[in-house]
């Protein structure tokens, strides 16, 4: 395994590193990935993954982002139907134009977190829909 070992930390400019071996790191979109290796700056803690680990981390990140988006699409469609709303009615509540929900549910447009969060609340407390109409 070839390690790319930078002469200076890209974050802080220090140049002492310890090996990172078989560590687990969180993914931005949720979850984590294990078995990563590379180098950690002893001054600031910044981790520079080796090439193979960097590739695995990037692929896992992409997969997690896609899974999170698909989960949002399914959640919006499921809760909308549970509430008895048409796509147009749901869009009237959340804004974004009359086709917004059609686009969200087909994955053409990523909904704002506020839209997803509102539907998570309405999923648990559907009676609150009456407050919005
Ligand atoms: Zn550093």
């Amino acid at each position: 395994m070839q390690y790319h070992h930078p002469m200076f930390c890209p974050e802080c400019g220090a140049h002492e590193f310890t090996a990172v071996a078989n560590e687990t790191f969180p993914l931005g979109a949720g979850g984590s990935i294990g078995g990563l290796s590379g180098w950690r700056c002893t001054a600031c803690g910044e981790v520079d993954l080796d090439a193979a680990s960097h590739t695995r981390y990037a692929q896992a990140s992409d997969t997690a982002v896609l899974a999170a988006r698909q989960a949002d699409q399914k959640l919006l469609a499921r809760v909308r139907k549970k509430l008895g709303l048409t796509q147009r009615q749901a869009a009237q509540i959340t804004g974004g134009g009359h086709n917004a929900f059609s686009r969200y549910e087909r994955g053409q447009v990523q909904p704002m977190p506020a839209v997803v969060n509102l539907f998570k609340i309405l999923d648990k407390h559907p009676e609150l829909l009456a407050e919005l109409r």
Side-chain angles (χ1 to χ4, degrees):
M1 182 72 67
Q2 279 291 104
Y3 290 99
H4 171 64
H5 189 175
M7 197 175 296
F8 298 100
C9 171
E11 283 298 311
C12 76
H15 54 90
E16 286 187 25
F17 297 84
T18 56
V20 166
N22 196 29
E23 285 195 23
T24 297
F25 290 93
L27 297 167
S32 62
I33 177 172
L36 299 177
S37 54
W39 300 92
R40 176 178 281 112
C41 173
T42 57
C44 75
E46 177 75 7
V47 170
D48 189 26
L49 295 173
D50 65 50
S53 289
H54 179 79
T55 298
R56 285 186 55 234
Y57 184 89
Q59 287 172 345
S61 288
D62 290 348
T63 300
V65 166
L66 202 62
R69 286 184 183 171
Q70 289 172 344
D72 284 350
Q73 289 170 31
K74 286 182 182 170
L75 174 107
L76 291 182
R78 180 179 61 74
V79 176
R80 177 181 63 74
K81 289 170 189 166
K82 172 179 169 176
L83 296 171
L85 296 172
T86 64
Q87 290 181 330
R88 196 181 188 92
Q89 288 169 330
Q92 283 168 352
I93 290 169
T94 57
H98 65 275
N99 285 330
F101 255 73
S102 170
R103 293 188 176 122
Y104 297 157
E105 292 179 14
R106 281 180 291 154
Q108 287 185 336
V109 174
Q110 187 61 15
M112 294 286 286
V115 173
V116 176
N117 287 333
L118 175 65
F119 270 61
K120 285 179 179 172
I121 290 171
L122 289 172
D123 189 19
K124 288 192 176 174
H125 305 282
E127 74 280 5
L128 292 177
L129 180 63
E131 304 287 339
L132 305 175
R133 308 184 88 182

